[in-house]
Amino acid sequence: MSDVPAPAHVVRATTTSRVLGLLGVLLVAWLAFLAASDNPATQTKIVELCVFVVVASMWNLLAGYTGLVSIGQQAFIGLGAYGLIVFGNGYGQDVYFSIVPAALIVLIASVPIALLAFRLRGGYFAIGMWVIAEVVRLLVKQYKDDPIKGGSGTSLDVPTDLYPKAERFQTTAFIALGLAVLAVTVIALLLRSRIGLSLQAVRDNEHGAGGLGVNVYRERFIVFMIAALFTGAAGAVWYLLKIRIQPDTAFGVADWTAPIVVMVVIGGIGTIEGPIIGAALWYLVRDYVTSTDSAIQLSDEWYLIVTGLLAMVVALFFQRGLWGSLQRHFPSLQVFPIQRRLVVDDEVGDHRDRKRST
Amino acid sequence: MNWIMAAIGGVLLGGLYALYATGLSVSFGVMRLINLAHGDLAVTAAFLSSTLVLTAGGSPFWTILVLIPVGFGVGVLLQKVVFDRLVGVDPALQIVATFGLSIVIQNALLKVYTADRRALDIGSLKTKSFSIGEVSVGAFPLLRFVVAVLVLVSLSLFLGRTSTGRAFRATSDDPEAARLMGINSRAIYVIASGIAVSTVFLAGIFSGAQTNFASSDGPGLLIFAFEAVIIGGLGSLWGTLAGGIALGLAQTLGAEQFTDWPAQLFGHVLFLIVLAVRPNGLFGRAET
């Protein structure tokens, strides 16, 4: 017999989530170890993977948790990248430091963009964001003076006496890894918070959530700005490595949003883990099928045809994606303890799950 | 005089945009479905037409007679295989599935036709023009405009005067009530997709006869179609025509005034202004 007045308590972290969380920490440590090695090919892979983990996670935060499906995220990538160019080349600032003002510029730009795009709903919001990204791309192409140099593009100024190549690759890999860890942490904390609860309420039933006092517009606005900030920073980090930039690729929907959508959907939309898994799979499979000594070889076109078909199949038949399907069969499976599970303490003192709420 | 020519060119171009937008407008009006592969289907039609002309010879115009029914069939097939599962679901899934379709079509076209640009050869008609005083009007743009208006007129007669059209409007207004009245909404959706794809096939062939095209052009065409729908206002075919014309005018007049700037930017700007000032479009009904 128990004298505890409350007959139930809320459980968040579970043994599984602790074990998986530990594995996650080990994975990050391993990536950091790889980043510290002086292998530029590995460092390039780490940067590419981490940048896509950031942008895919942010797209998922918008699409999977707030119902804002955007196909204009390349606007923020390109703005972040050109912010880097403006502060690095234009104002001669340290290129690593320039990521910060570049990301802040994207944050500021996201306000008018949201004010316009939020007038559209659902699929029309998606294409509206795309039009906005196109406008930004065309305006950047039109600016033909230094440091943007119009449609022909330009290169980030990294003189090797100031930024030795090996050091730049290593530093960029660490920045990218740090940004990815920060982005995922911010998302996990955000979803654990009150905002996270209201976001998920909005996603599940917008009018119902509004009726319960959730300020739908404001919460969406905040999330949209956070996503823009991180997506912009990721764009800057990408071009810190790639150096050469052109508006048509920096603002290209096929270069950015298309792979992002495929990654998130296959990994599992509406889960924190899904985009990370999707991005990792994207790079692993792509490496495998494009290397000359593997059993299956696909050209770029075929790779995109197959992934596009996969995205369709997942969207039509397995809407939860990989991680979501796994979670359905193993409900305790979660790396990030953002769920609230109500455990009823009954008289013999053993714990039994009565109700689950996320 | 240049201004008048630019304005006429803009109106005629607007007819083409309206033709692009018709399918988008119909799919959204009837099913609340947005197909992001809409533009890629237009490019597919242009490529198919060029293949037909290369193998069987003749002018691209006869291929229209073949490709419109083919387009209807493609629409029916897409509806049965893909779109049926997307009606009434979370818009995110519609976007992802049709975006996936768009990636598949673009890369399949790239694989088959390479990245080279192609053009449909319509011979002397391309350069033919009528002169009224100092103003000259291209014969082909005029023909294109007339065809676009004819398509819209016949579509609105179909929707307004036939019993199938009534079923369309009923399904659009309230699918649940329409079903209770014995309307087979699935059959309506199939026809809607058939119309959507066959009109965008027609638009793709007309566009390919005027300017050259490549496998990656679809997204750009989708954006024009989408802008025409939003500028005109959702749920109105005549609004879509007006939206297309407004978009065409913005592009040609903008390019006339600012010759160094890309024409499509002025269309985008008009779209953003309409969005900011009149989010329901020029002829839109209240929020749906």
Side-chain angles (χ1 to χ4, degrees):
Chain A
M1 289 294 247
S2 158
D3 298 327
V4 182
H9 65 276
V10 171
V11 171
R12 306 195 79 166
T14 61
T15 316
T16 329
S17 82
R18 287 190 194 100
V19 172
L20 288 174
L22 186 67
L23 283 176
V25 172
L26 287 176
L27 179 70
V28 171
W30 180 58
L31 286 174
F33 175 75
L34 287 179
S37 71
D38 42 317
N39 181 346
T42 311
Q43 287 158 343
T44 303
K45 290 259 165 349
I46 291 176
V47 173
E48 290 178 347
L49 175 67
C50 289
V51 163
F52 267 99
V53 164
V54 174
V55 293
S57 297
M58 288 300 158
W59 187 85
N60 175 54
L61 176 65
L62 290 176
Y65 289 97
T66 63
L68 291 171
V69 183
S70 157
I71 40 184
Q73 293 306 96
Q74 65 274 19
F76 303 126
I77 292 278
L79 280 173
Y82 273 97
L84 180 73
I85 296 288
V86 167
F87 284 97
N89 291 9
Y91 295 116
Q93 299 294 315
D94 177 77
V95 288
Y96 305 122
F97 170 74
S98 297
I99 297 171
V100 176
L104 289 177
I105 289 213
V106 179
L107 181 71
I108 295 166
S110 73
V111 174
I113 291 177
L115 287 173
L116 273 176
F118 278 23
R119 288 173 168 265
L120 294 168
R121 328 270 350 205
Y124 283 84
F125 170 82
I127 314 184
M129 280 297 299
W130 194 354
V131 173
I132 291 171
E134 281 296 291
V135 169
V136 182
R137 177 178 71 88
L138 292 170
L139 289 177
V140 167
K141 280 181 93 164
Q142 207 57 36
Y143 195 91
K144 299 198 170 68
D145 300 334
D146 281 338
I148 306 284
K149 297 200 174 140
S152 55
T154 185
S155 294
L156 182 67
D157 204 7
V158 276
T160 41
D161 51 329
L162 278 175
Y163 306 102
K165 199 173 175 192
E167 191 196 287
R168 179 167 58 83
F169 272 64
Q170 196 184 60
T171 313
T172 310
F174 276 120
I175 293 175
L177 184 60
L179 186 68
V181 170
L182 182 67
V184 174
T185 311
V186 164
I187 291 174
L189 290 177
L190 190 75
L191 292 177
R192 256 183 93 113
S193 72
R194 194 191 54 81
I195 292 187
L197 265 183
S198 20
L199 284 179
Q200 288 165 69
V202 170
R203 176 192 60 184
D204 294 342
N205 187 335
E206 185 177 332
H207 296 296
L212 289 173
V214 176
N215 188 337
V216 179
Y217 191 87
R218 197 194 58 196
E219 314 264 293
R220 280 189 168 155
F221 213 109
I222 294 170
V223 172
F224 187 84
M225 287 177 70
I226 294 173
L229 177 74
F230 276 95
T231 306
V237 171
W238 180 271
Y239 285 97
L240 192 54
L241 186 85
K242 305 281 172 183
I243 298 300
R244 177 90 197 128
I245 180 168
Q246 278 182 300
D248 287 347
T249 46
F251 292 100
V253 69
D255 300 82
W256 295 103
T257 306
I260 293 171
V261 170
V262 174
M263 287 172 195
V264 174
V265 170
I266 292 175
I269 193 168
T271 64
I272 302 182
E273 298 86 351
I276 304 170
I277 291 167
L281 268 182
W282 172 275
Y283 273 100
L284 287 176
V285 175
R286 186 169 202 159
D287 269 4
Y288 181 74
V289 299
T290 50
S291 89
T292 44
D293 53 328
S294 40
I296 311 165
Q297 287 191 24
L298 295 176
S299 64
D300 255 10
E301 289 96 334
W302 275 114
Y303 184 67
L304 286 165
I305 291 174
V306 170
T307 52
L309 275 175
L310 258 179
M312 286 177 72
V313 168
V314 172
L316 293 175
F317 301 104
F318 311 100
Q319 287 139 8
R320 296 158 181 272
L322 273 178
W323 189 261
S325 307
L326 278 176
Q327 268 188 336
R328 190 177 196 182
H329 294 290
F330 309 101
S332 65
L333 191 66
Q334 51 165 348
V335 182
F336 302 95
I338 60 162
Q339 295 187 337
R340 290 173 180 80
R341 189 188 292 265
L342 192 66
V343 176
V344 178
D345 313 324
D346 59 21
E347 294 185 5
V348 280
D350 64 337
H351 291 170
R352 208 149 41 104
D353 290 357
R354 275 285 165 73
K355 196 178 173 189
R356 208 178 120 207
S357 65
T358 46
Chain B
M1 212 43 74
N2 285 342
W3 282 98
I4 298 173
M5 301 261 292
I8 293 171
V11 172
L12 297 185
L13 185 60
L16 177 66
Y17 290 157
L19 198 53
Y20 271 122
T22 303
L24 215 56
S25 186
V26 168
S27 309
F28 187 81
V30 177
M31 298 180 261
R32 301 285 177 271
L33 174 82
I34 293 177
N35 174 15
L36 296 186
H38 193 68
D40 303 299
L41 290 167
V43 180
T44 306
F47 274 114
L48 288 178
S49 172
S50 82
T51 301
L52 284 176
V53 169
L54 279 178
T55 49
S59 130
F61 286 109
W62 71 265
T63 68
I64 292 176
L65 297 178
V66 177
L67 288 175
I68 284 186
V70 169
F72 198 91
V74 170
V76 170
L77 194 70
L78 280 175
Q79 181 64 40
K80 296 263 186 202
V81 179
V82 182
F83 300 158
D84 255 354
R85 302 174 204 281
L86 297 175
V87 176
V89 303
D90 183 354
L93 291 176
Q94 295 184 356
I95 292 162
V96 170
T98 59
F99 200 56
L101 181 64
S102 162
I103 295 172
V104 171
I105 295 176
Q106 271 181 56
N107 286 284
L109 289 176
L110 185 62
K111 191 78 200 160
V112 176
Y113 294 100
T114 73
D116 296 342
R117 301 194 77 83
R118 283 202 190 190
L120 295 174
D121 184 14
I122 49 167
S124 60
L125 185 61
K126 188 168 181 179
T127 47
K128 204 170 190 160
S129 62
F130 306 105
S131 295
I132 308 149
E134 284 176 58
V135 179
S136 76
V137 179
F140 183 66
L142 189 63
L143 172 72
R144 211 175 48 187
F145 182 80
V146 171
V147 170
V149 173
L150 281 178
V151 167
L152 284 167
V153 168
S154 30
L155 208 54
S156 70
L157 285 178
F158 165 71
L159 291 177
R161 301 283 172 84
T162 67
S163 59
T164 317
R166 252 196 313 280
F168 254 76
R169 285 179 287 137
T171 309
S172 165
D173 288 342
D174 189 340
E176 212 50 52
R179 202 157 34 241
L180 290 174
M181 295 301 120
I183 290 170
N184 180 352
S185 56
R186 299 250 158 197
I188 297 293
Y189 295 160
V190 165
I191 300 171
S193 279
I195 293 173
V197 180
S198 50
T199 53
V200 85
F201 262 39
L202 181 63
I205 298 166
F206 269 108
S207 172
Q210 182 85 20
T211 49
N212 56 24
F213 49 89
S215 57
S216 56
D217 285 358
L221 301 177
L222 169 73
I223 288 184
F224 290 154
F226 165 75
E227 287 175 335
V229 172
I230 298 284
I231 292 172
L234 288 170
S236 146
L237 274 183
W238 297 114
T240 301
L241 180 63
I245 290 174
L247 182 65
L249 277 174
Q251 290 185 355
T252 55
L253 294 180
E256 181 71 28
Q257 175 67 33
F258 307 95
T259 45
D260 304 342
W261 292 72
Q264 75 254 45
L265 181 63
F266 302 103
H268 296 335
V269 170
L270 174 69
F271 163 77
L272 293 181
I273 292 172
V274 169
L275 203 56
V277 180
R278 240 188 110 82
N280 288 329
L282 299 175
F283 298 90
R285 291 181 294 194
E287 187 90 317
T288 46

